[in-house]
Amino acid sequence: MEKPVRLQKFLARAGIASRRKAEEYIASGRVKVDGKTITTMGEQIIPGKQKIFFDDKEVVAEEQLIYILLNKPKGYVTTLSDPQGRPIVTSLLQGIKERVFPVGRLDLDTEGALLLTNDGELAQSILHPSYEVFKTYEAEVKGCPSSKTIRTLERGILLENKKTAPATLRIKRKDKRNTVMLIRIHEGRKRQVKKMFEAVGHPVQSLKRLAYGRLELDGLGIGKFRILHQNDIKKIFSNKILYKQKNN
Ligand code: URA
């Protein structure tokens, strides 16, 4: 059976209004539980068991909130439908009944960590710049960026007339032609990593997101997913450095 939840929280999650506004609606007598008008705060209800009405219209019980980490393969789109008929990421979530949506986007040819949830509030906090959730990417780039170029990218460069926020970069390995870089940013502008490297003359050859905050893929295979728990969610908001900063 579902756990009891405060009436105003239930209304907020069902998308009726913010919690504070929902309290106002309750106080003004617009909310009924099993046919009885409730005007006091603190009323607990059991979703799915009791019928809740707002302005005499039934409010459908919320879904269970769910958080998923998927290792997105290349060739999948992160939109929920695709007019061109390309495969969509949610088709990989076998056995998940909830209607989840991706938190942010990854390009068609980018692989790696993609969070999906039906929790709009959490998605907003991850995407909102004020929370500064860091995302770590592994980017294989053409050539070998010099220490000076790395510092330039770290301090921020102009992209579409707006300076990028401070970033952290490190060289992971290099061969004759390409260099594998780790780059950690907290903004989420469209194609940001590719544009940053392109701007300094080192176009990205392949890109993979390794982590949100300290939440890493941890050996999750490509195309596989796992359901996250509270301690995983905490890791997303932890800004502790994932790797020591040491450049050539
Ligand atoms: N930056 C990019 O350029 N592409 C992505 O998919 C994610 C970040």
Side-chain angles (χ1 to χ4, degrees):
M1 199 202 290
E2 294 239 30
K3 280 198 229 140
V5 59
R6 279 177 181 254
L7 187 52
Q8 60 268 44
K9 192 169 179 181
F10 172 84
L11 292 169
R13 282 198 188 157
I16 298 295
S18 67
R19 261 185 234 182
R20 184 170 300 170
K21 198 85 194 147
E23 285 174 0
E24 283 175 32
Y25 292 158
I26 294 168
S28 61
R30 293 173 69 179
V31 181
K32 287 181 184 159
V33 176
D34 289 337
K36 191 172 149 236
T37 304
I38 303 291
T39 53
T40 50
M41 290 314 125
E43 181 83 7
Q44 302 253 353
I45 57 114
I46 300 174
K49 192 156 180 272
Q50 287 170 289
K51 285 195 183 225
I52 319 300
F53 296 85
F54 173 62
D55 284 347
D56 292 322
K57 260 177 81 185
E58 188 174 352
V59 180
V60 181
E62 61 177 306
E63 282 180 336
Q64 196 79 346
L65 293 179
I66 185 167
Y67 310 91
I68 294 166
L69 184 67
L70 169 74
N71 188 349
K72 175 197 171 299
K74 290 179 181 171
Y76 279 74
V77 293
T78 52
T79 45
L80 294 180
S81 65
D82 185 56
Q84 295 175 50
R86 293 169 299 187
I88 61 173
V89 283
T90 44
S91 67
L92 294 164
L93 305 179
Q94 297 288 317
I96 301 293
K97 299 183 302 293
E98 290 82 357
R99 282 166 298 144
V100 293
F101 52 87
V103 181
R105 56 191 303 284
L106 282 181
D107 298 334
L108 183 72
D109 62 351
T110 301
E111 63 181 63
L114 181 70
L115 261 167
L116 298 111
T117 184
N118 53 358
D119 183 345
E121 269 180 284
L122 185 101
Q124 286 297 320
S125 338
I126 292 175
L127 295 174
H128 199 277
S130 63
Y131 284 85
E132 297 200 351
V133 169
F134 281 91
K135 273 85 65 177
T136 306
Y137 296 87
E138 186 180 280
E140 181 166 352
V141 304
K142 214 168 186 165
C144 181
S146 66
S147 319
K148 191 165 165 241
T149 301
I150 290 174
R151 272 199 302 278
T152 304
L153 288 172
E154 287 188 325
R155 287 195 195 117
I157 56 160
L158 273 187
L159 280 187
E160 282 119 25
N161 293 324
K162 195 173 167 248
K163 198 172 173 186
T164 55
T168 314
L169 278 87
R170 170 158 90 73
I171 291 177
K172 193 173 173 192
R173 60 173 186 275
K174 55 184 164 190
D175 61 30
K176 265 191 260 155
R177 285 204 193 121
N178 293 338
T179 306
V180 177
M181 307 281 312
L182 291 175
I183 172 165
R184 187 168 162 267
I185 58 173
H186 74 257
E187 292 174 300
R189 299 200 228 165
K190 205 170 174 193
R191 302 185 66 249
Q192 180 163 349
V193 175
K194 289 180 189 161
K195 284 182 182 163
M196 285 173 74
F197 281 109
E198 212 164 278
V200 293
H202 295 282
V204 169
Q205 310 296 292
S206 74
L207 186 63
K208 182 176 183 175
R209 180 154 60 204
L210 302 180
Y212 289 78
R214 285 178 55 240
L215 178 70
E216 298 175 68
L217 284 167
D218 272 339
L220 192 65
I222 295 175
K224 298 275 188 284
F225 68 91
R226 65 185 169 92
I227 296 186
L228 300 176
H229 303 288
Q230 225 36 54
N231 56 333
D232 295 305
I233 306 294
K234 276 195 203 136
K235 287 184 188 169
I236 297 174
F237 294 96
S238 166
N239 279 345
K240 245 204 227 145
I241 304 268
L242 263 179
Y243 49 84
K244 284 206 176 69
Q245 196 182 335
K246 189 169 172 281
N247 289 314
N248 59 338

